């Protein structure tokens, strides 16, 4: 695990990255204190926790207790929550500072319903989001194409009986190892990433080769029609190997590695991102 401290409304928010879960956990007491201006965030959280338990709120029971550095410098067990759990808790906090987040959650929910009726809206919003993050239009077009190619692959996996979650992850790792020479987690570690999307931090060439690997795997799967996970793994390895050979050829000719430590954006703590979202929602009121 690795610790990090962010600032929200000029108050410290302690967080810890749990490698095994690939998840950031945040101190609930710190977030509650920041949102309520409570002199004793722990006491406020204890009262809120009791009320939520009585209401049958599962978010409270699902909170982890993790060791975070206390004010006295000692590591103490502290209630910690994921981003999703925090957003659910925020909805239960009666505070003016929590209102922008509630408005944002309502807006996001409405947008998701709209996108279900008209999927093209999701593409348009994704394009605008990438533009705001500073990506070039050329890169964004490639990224959106990579999403379609990935969707084609997962649709093919569904046809072959591959289960979402662990089996998707296993096959993705096999494809990545075959073309990039490392697992997805090792690739993210190389770029200094944690929760961020790996494809969002790929260069044009990395993204193209990853698309080649996944598109080839889809075509091989349609031709071979694998029936078991073991057979799907072999197909994934073959598909990734095609892009792997292309990578080696490019590197041999250019004399430079295709895969680098460079990433598109510096890491932004989730709390800092949520704070920005809150400010945007506040403007819309």
């Amino acid at each position: 695990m690795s610790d990090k401290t962010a600032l929200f409304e000029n108050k410290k928010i302690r967080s810890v990255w749990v490698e095994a879960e690939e998840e950031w956990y945040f101190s609930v007491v710190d977030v509650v204190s920041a949102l309520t201006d409570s002199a004793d965030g722990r006491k406020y959280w204890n009262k809120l926790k009791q009320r939520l338990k009585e209401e049958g709120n599962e978010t409270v029971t699902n909170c982890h207790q993790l060791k975070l550095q206390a004010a006295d410098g000692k590591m103490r067990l502290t209630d910690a929550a994921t981003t999703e759990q925090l957003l659910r808790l925020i909805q239960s906090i009666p505070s003016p500072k929590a209102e922008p987040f509630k408005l944002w959650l309502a807006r996001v929910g409405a947008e998701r319903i709209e996108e279900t009726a008209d999927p093209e809206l999701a593409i348009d919003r994704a394009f605008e989001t990438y533009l705001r993050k500073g990506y070039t239009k050329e890169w964004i077009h490639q990224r959106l194409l990579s999403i379609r190619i990935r969707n084609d692959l997962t649709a093919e996996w569904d046809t072959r009986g591959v289960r979402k979650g662990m089996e998707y992850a296993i096959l993705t790792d096999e494809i990545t190892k075959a073309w990039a020479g490392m697992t997805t987690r090792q690739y993210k570690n190389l770029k200094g990433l944690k929760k961020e999307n790996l494809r969002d931090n790929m260069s044009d060439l990395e993204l193209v080769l990853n698309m080649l690997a996944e598109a080839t795997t889809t075509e091989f799967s349609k031709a071979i029609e694998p029936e078991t996970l073991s057979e799907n793994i072999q197909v994934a390895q073959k598909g990734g190997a095609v892009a792997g050979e292309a990578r080696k050829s490019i590197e041999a000719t250019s004399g430079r590695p295709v895969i680098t430590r460079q990433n598109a954006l510096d890491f932004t703590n989730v709390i800092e991102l949520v704070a920005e979202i809150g400010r945007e929602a506040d403007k819309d009121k």
Side-chain angles (χ1 to χ4, degrees), residues 203-239:
S203 66
D204 287 349
L205 192 50
E206 286 173 295
L207 200 54
V208 166
L209 288 173
N210 192 71
M211 284 193 283
L212 174 61
E214 293 192 331
T216 306
T217 300
T218 302
E219 290 305 307
F220 285 175
S221 181
K222 290 177 179 178
I224 298 171
E225 299 183 351
E227 297 180 355
T228 65
L229 178 60
S230 177
E231 290 175 353
N232 275 286
I233 287 175
Q234 292 176 13
V235 171
Q237 292 169 340
K238 290 177 181 178

Side-chain angles (χ1 to χ4, degrees), residues 1-5 14-17 24 67-69 75:
M1 296 194 299
S2 59
D3 297 339
K4 184 179 177 69
T5 300
R14 292 168 295 164
S15 61
V16 60
W17 171 256
W24 279 104
K67 284 191 174 182
L68 295 173
Q69 189 173 39
M75 302 298 289

Side-chain angles (χ1 to χ4, degrees), residues 143-187:
R143 181 68 180 96
L144 294 179
L145 176 59
S146 77
I147 292 172
R148 183 182 68 76
I149 288 173
R150 175 68 180 183
N151 288 340
D152 289 345
L153 175 58
T154 55
E156 173 63 18
W157 282 345
D158 286 342
T159 301
R160 303 302 162 201
V162 177
R163 289 176 293 185
K164 293 180 180 179
M166 182 59 72
E167 291 187 356
Y168 273 30
I170 290 171
L171 295 179
T172 300
D173 263 355
E174 292 299 331
I175 294 173
T176 306
K177 282 191 291 186
W179 86 259
M182 65 188 82
T183 66
T184 305
R185 182 68 260 169
Q186 290 170 334
Y187 203 160

Side-chain angles (χ1 to χ4, degrees), residues 104 106-133 135 140 143-144 147 200 280:
W104 174 74
R107 187 178 68 195
V108 170
E111 287 177 353
R112 292 300 173 268
I113 293 173
E114 292 170 355
E115 290 165 7
T116 300
D118 184 1
E120 190 173 329
L121 288 173
I123 298 173
D124 293 339
R125 285 169 180 153
F127 193 94
E128 290 301 319
T129 298
Y130 281 122
L131 274 179
R132 287 198 301 270
K133 288 184 175 182
Y135 291 96
I140 297 171
R143 181 68 180 96
L144 294 179
I147 292 172
D200 284 352
E280 289 181 1

